[in-house]
Amino acid sequence: MLRDSAFLRLWAGTTASGLATWALPFVLGLAVLHRDLGAAGLGLVLAARTAGFLAAVAVGGVLADRHARRAVVLWSALAAGAAAPLLAAGLGRSLVLMTAAAALAGAGQGACRPAFQALVAETVEPERRQRANAAMTLAVRACTLAGPALTALLAAFLDVRTLLLGIGLLWLVAALVPARGAGPAAPAAAAGPAPRAGFRAEFLEGIREARRHPWFLAGLAALVCVISLGYSATSVALPLISRDRYGTEWVLAAAMTAYTVGALGGALLMARWQPRAQGWAAFAGLAAYGFAPLSLVLPVHPALVVAAYAVAGTGIELFNVPWFTATQREVAPDRLARVSSLDFLVSYGLAPVGLALIAPAVTAFGVTPVLTACAAACFLVPAAAALVPTARHFARTAPAARD
């Protein structure tokens, strides 16, 4: 993969977009610390970004299947980049401008995600896509691990407005660096002047394509369960338990770091390992997230909590890498971006719902029952999804039959 210049350019662009996406909430948090932005304003700006993402991701999927995916990446990343100076201009002056700019940034991010996903299938041969997806994941996790320290270091020398402009430069890299794909968008171009269906009809066509793959629907349901219940529960409970049970913030920091390190290890493993029953292995990895809420149920040694989060991080990438690879392999090329947009839309869209419901549930029933129920769901739902026809191999036919 390192000798493939087209993939390296795509990897660099995806990494830049991932770093820019991660950095924005962190930099805005610094603005709160510097009193350039209030806590309520921060919540409003981040909510606008999420709304922009959800509104644009479905449209971006349709556009990426209609037109050249490289062009969709270009214009959506430029839109996200244009939001950065607007955020800098509004900081401390106009919350309305910042909210609108955040919505634009989220829209650019949402529109480019399915296009980037489809570009991997255009750029990399099928037999190398699992390594390519593992490399993409490694970049994202490395940014998550090193990003806070790097941003804190830059913040010692640069003000928040300059950091926001730096995010805009990252989006400019994401827009300009990737090479043009080899072209499953070509069939659309070959259709010439023939009339096309509307956006709604084409998005529904993507849903119908997703329904042709029972393993995809089962995997999406399991992923949503783990994100909206398991991840949301631990996001709410871990800071509380770190403070109240262990009396230190160290457990919170160590557990989150272990999760990212585990994810890096999982991505490295999936760069080399190709299990025969990749669907079953992926669902087992996804179910491993249940160890995170389970470790918070009982007053165990904090080292066990950290270890459980490392296992959870590893398992997430044991799922993610085969999941993306199978989607690129099994879904019709001219509908791949739409199916990918459905993945992002459902998983990202329901995550805030889980966060909104977990906190009242903890207040009503207590932390232990909620964590126990969420851990059970993380174990049982992926196990049930693995029983769905075609789930064993993430494919409509077994590998031997396809060969």
Side-chain angles (χ1 to χ4, degrees), residues 124-196:
V124 182
E125 296 88 349
E127 62 272 12
R128 297 197 300 160
R129 285 177 190 161
Q130 182 163 316
R131 291 187 180 184
N133 287 312
M136 296 289 192
T137 295
L138 278 169
V140 171
R141 298 302 182 181
C143 290
T144 304
L145 187 63
L150 177 61
T151 305
L153 178 63
L154 291 174
F157 303 97
L158 304 173
D159 59 21
V160 174
R161 287 185 175 84
T162 304
L163 293 175
L164 288 172
L165 294 177
I167 292 174
L169 291 177
L170 286 173
W171 278 115
L172 190 61
V173 171
L176 300 179
V177 168
R180 187 178 299 275
R196 302 204 58 141

Side-chain angles (χ1 to χ4, degrees), residues 20-362:
T21 298
W22 171 87
L24 183 57
F26 193 88
V27 172
L28 291 175
L30 292 176
V32 174
L33 293 178
H34 294 169
R35 302 186 185 279
D36 293 320
L37 183 67
L42 174 63
L44 180 62
V45 169
L46 293 180
R49 187 179 77 145
T50 300
F53 176 92
L54 295 176
V57 68
V59 175
V62 174
L63 288 175
D65 281 340
R66 275 189 173 191
H67 307 290
R69 277 115 186 215
R70 179 66 188 84
V72 175
V73 167
L74 172 66
W75 293 108
S76 57
L78 287 177
L86 296 177
L87 284 166
L91 186 64
R93 300 186 182 96
S94 173
L95 183 58
V96 173
L97 177 59
M98 290 193 70
T99 302
L104 178 62
Q109 174 196 347
C112 75
R113 285 298 295 272
F116 268 128
Q117 190 70 12
L119 269 176
V120 174
E122 291 188 13
T123 304
V124 182
E125 296 88 349
E127 62 272 12
R128 297 197 300 160
R129 285 177 190 161
Q130 182 163 316
R131 291 187 180 184
N133 287 312
M136 296 289 192
T137 295
L138 278 169
V140 171
R141 298 302 182 181
C143 290
T144 304
L145 187 63
L150 177 61
T151 305
L153 178 63
L154 291 174
F157 303 97
L158 304 173
D159 59 21
V160 174
R161 287 185 175 84
T162 304
L163 293 175
L164 288 172
L165 294 177
I167 292 174
L169 291 177
L170 286 173
W171 278 115
L172 190 61
V173 171
L176 300 179
V177 168
R180 187 178 299 275
R196 302 204 58 141
F199 274 88
R200 179 176 178 274
E202 293 203 2
F203 182 70
L204 291 177
E205 186 180 30
I207 295 177
R208 287 193 293 272
E209 173 66 22
R211 291 174 60 186
R212 291 182 55 244
H213 306 278
W215 62 267
F216 180 85
L217 297 180
L220 191 57
L223 182 62
V224 167
C225 173
V226 170
I227 291 176
S228 59
L229 294 180
Y231 188 80
S232 297
T234 53
S235 296
V236 172
L238 179 61
L240 299 176
I241 289 174
S242 180
R243 181 195 65 192
D244 298 338
R245 180 184 298 169
Y246 299 106
T248 176
E249 296 176 353
W250 176 87
V251 177
L252 170 62
M256 297 308 298
T257 302
Y259 178 83
T260 303
V261 172
L264 282 168
L268 284 171
L269 175 62
M270 294 312 298
R272 294 289 181 182
W273 181 44
Q274 293 190 351
R276 291 188 177 183
Q278 63 170 301
W280 285 0
F283 281 126
L286 187 61
Y289 193 89
F291 288 110
L294 187 62
S295 70
L296 302 177
V297 172
L298 299 175
V300 298
H301 191 278
L304 290 179
V305 176
V306 175
Y309 269 79
V311 170
T314 302
I316 284 294
E317 295 310 328
L318 294 184
F319 176 83
N320 280 341
V321 174
W323 172 257
F324 291 138
T325 305
T327 304
Q328 293 158 358
R329 181 188 66 240
E330 297 293 320
V331 172
D334 61 327
R335 300 173 188 175
L336 175 57
R338 279 170 284 178
V339 173
S340 296
S341 72
L342 180 65
D343 178 7
F344 297 131
L345 180 65
V346 173
S347 56
Y348 278 81
L350 292 182
V353 177
L355 284 171
L357 295 178
I358 288 296
V362 168

